[in-house]
Amino acid sequence: PRPVAFIAKAELGQKWYSRWPLQRIGVLFVERFDRRRGLEDYRAVARAARDGGSPLFFPEGTFRRAPGLMPFRLGAFLCAVEAEVPVIPLVLTGTRSILPSDSWFPRHHRVDVTVGSPLAPDGDGWHAALALRDRPRAVMLPLTGERDAGDAECDRILARFAKDRPGMPGAKRALASYQPAERHVLVDEVDGVK
């Protein structure tokens, strides 16, 4: 088996009590706020993948207690495109029962892991990374047993409007079906990368 390196936000490496155990299991820290350092970290992760490592990302970029699969951040998919390696979707179910929303202490519970088929990048650059980001999410969402967090948030907002403004007409079908939209990424040039 190939060595696995978990990818974590750099803030977890700033305090000794979190840095020490995470370094012992081979975590690679990625800066999220300093673009120049973040780009260096991203290149180091891509290099590790090219050299035979298996970076393990949690592409939502954070943990939240509310159920639902959040939109994926682009970093993991940029690394896969640059390193020319496939993305293998992994779905963890049961983790919300380990750390329920009303507790800071973990509980004993079964966790299931579902491994999807490898998804190879199709091309290179931003467009390939954007396309690659959406493919594993489409595979993973039905396996989670949870809703799309974006849909859930829209429903929450519409329910609040209905409560605050009685008589306001509601949506007749899924909000996403009203107007197809494309997502666009705006970036600055950093070290010749756009």
Side-chain angles (χ1 to χ4, degrees), residues 99-152:
L99 191 61
S101 61
D102 62 348
S103 173
W104 284 100
F105 299 101
R107 298 179 182 165
H108 185 272
H109 192 272
R110 174 184 165 151
V111 174
D112 292 315
V113 179
T114 305
V115 181
S117 299
L119 302 169
D122 186 21
D124 57 6
W126 285 97
H127 293 290
L130 287 168
L132 184 58
R133 177 194 62 190
D134 296 337
R135 289 169 49 209
R137 193 169 190 283
V139 169
M140 295 167 74
L141 183 59
L143 297 173
T144 66
E146 296 182 353
R147 296 184 61 189
D148 185 313
D151 290 347

Side-chain angles (χ1 to χ4, degrees), residues 12 44 56 65 70 93 107 110 138 154 175 178 181 183 188:
L12 292 174
L56 196 149
R65 292 167 183 247
M70 293 183 290
T93 52
R107 298 179 182 165
R110 174 184 165 151
C154 286
L175 202 57
Y178 280 96
R183 295 182 184 184
D188 293 331

Side-chain angles (χ1 to χ4, degrees), residues 67-117:
L69 187 64
M70 293 183 290
F72 287 175
R73 298 186 179 264
L74 199 54
F77 309 101
L78 284 167
C79 286
V81 167
E82 183 171 315
E84 298 176 350
V85 296
V87 169
I88 301 174
L90 296 173
V91 176
L92 303 175
T93 52
T95 57
R96 291 195 196 284
S97 297
I98 291 174
L99 191 61
S101 61
D102 62 348
S103 173
W104 284 100
F105 299 101
R107 298 179 182 165
H108 185 272
H109 192 272
R110 174 184 165 151
V111 174
D112 292 315
V113 179
T114 305
V115 181
S117 299

Side-chain angles (χ1 to χ4, degrees), residues 6-25 27-33 37 41 58 61-63:
F6 289 92
I7 309 304
K9 58 186 177 182
E11 299 96 287
L12 292 174
Q14 293 173 349
K15 305 285 186 190
W16 70 267
Y17 52 82
S18 58
R19 179 181 57 245
W20 183 77
L22 293 174
Q23 283 178 330
R24 302 250 318 150
I25 63 169
V27 166
L28 298 175
F29 297 103
V30 177
E31 173 60 47
R32 301 184 304 160
F33 302 110
R37 230 180 95 213
D41 293 342
F58 291 89
T62 191
F63 174 80

